[in-house]
Amino acid sequence: MSPRRNRPKGAGEDSPRMDGETTGRYGGFQSTENWRGEQWSLRHVAGASAAGKTYRCPGCDQEIPSGLAHVVAWPEHSGVDERRHWHKACWNAKDRRTTRVQRSRNAPRY
């Protein structure tokens, strides 16, 4: 008796997406969104892909801990230097936030 297959055939391979791009090394899907008059590329990062790394969210100015699923966003016309890692909730609420989020007194300064 052979073991049951847990994944459909071809699940481990990079599959082409509807817009012609592959999902890539980090999993998650990539899309574009219009914000502040610019086209932004978004990539949803799975928590397992972010293991061992911490980032600072520009929306709330708090750390994104290692292993937490989040969103990477950058203007489409720019390069990798403009990529920013956001909490999913902060990216969704970016239009409702003020331009300058102030840290609390006890927040670490990095």
Side-chain angles (χ1 to χ4, degrees):
M1 179 180 217
S2 61
R4 189 177 92 202
R5 200 175 279 210
N6 289 330
R7 287 179 253 161
K9 290 182 181 180
E13 304 166 4
D14 285 346
S15 57
R17 295 188 358 212
M18 293 172 68
D19 58 0
E21 295 179 24
T22 58
T23 55
R25 146 182 181 189
Y26 298 107
F29 66 93
Q30 188 167 338
S31 61
T32 58
E33 189 174 311
N34 198 6
W35 182 47
R36 292 186 179 170
E38 286 186 277
Q39 282 293 107
W40 286 69
S41 294
L42 298 176
R43 180 171 291 149
H44 296 266
V45 178
S49 299
K53 305 170 195 165
T54 58
Y55 302 101
R56 180 151 309 269
C57 175
C60 65
D61 203 30
Q62 299 296 314
E63 279 191 2
I64 300 173
S66 173
L68 183 70
H70 60 278
V71 176
V72 180
W74 65 95
E76 236 178 41
H77 63 68
S78 64
V80 291
D81 294 337
E82 296 295 317
R83 288 186 301 186
R84 297 294 176 257
H85 297 255
W86 294 70
H87 292 107
K88 287 182 181 182
C90 293
W91 177 259
N92 292 336
K94 65 190 174 299
D95 293 326
R96 296 187 302 268
R97 294 186 184 268
T98 61
T99 56
R100 235 9 227 159
V101 176
Q102 296 294 319
R103 281 186 259 209
S104 69
R105 226 179 255 194
N106 297 329
R109 301 207 182 269
Y110 293 99

